[in-house]
Amino acid sequence: KPCPLCDEAKEVLEPYKRRFILQEVDITLPENSAWNDKYKYDIPVFHLNGKFLMKHRVDIPKFEERLRKLELQSE
């Protein structure tokens, strides 16, 4: 379904796309009902490396900090 907040988030994250893999999850699909039950009123939701990061809007300083930490760990 149309999701203006999701579209906005993807635009904000565009400059970082070489540093992480964006995996989109459509919570309206039956196989994603657990995500729908958990987040139906809070989309978009962001997880980084399997851990909850933020919801509703991209917090760039928080995102950059966590991404940098992950990159340092993988060196």
Side-chain angles (χ1 to χ4, degrees):
K1 297 178 182 180
C3 178
L5 290 175
C6 300
D7 294 338
E8 177 185 315
K10 286 188 273 187
E11 271 185 49
V12 171
L13 293 172
E14 179 70 22
Y16 301 93
K17 70 179 182 180
R18 290 188 177 97
R19 295 172 62 192
F20 76 103
I21 297 169
L22 178 65
Q23 179 182 354
E24 295 181 53
V25 177
D26 183 345
I27 66 170
T28 64
L29 298 175
E31 62 267 26
N32 295 325
S33 62
W35 291 113
N36 190 36
D37 293 345
K38 189 170 185 174
Y39 293 124
K40 64 181 147 198
Y41 301 115
D42 288 316
I43 59 169
V45 175
F46 306 90
H47 289 82
L48 187 60
N49 206 30
K51 295 180 183 175
F52 174 81
L53 181 62
M54 59 196 149
K55 60 185 176 182
H56 302 152
R57 299 209 186 277
V58 177
D59 178 337
I60 288 294
K62 184 176 190 173
F63 174 70
E64 285 181 345
E65 177 188 352
R66 286 273 297 276
L67 188 57
R68 254 192 311 274
K69 284 181 182 177
L70 286 173
E71 289 169 340
L72 289 172
Q73 288 174 1
S74 66
E75 287 182 357

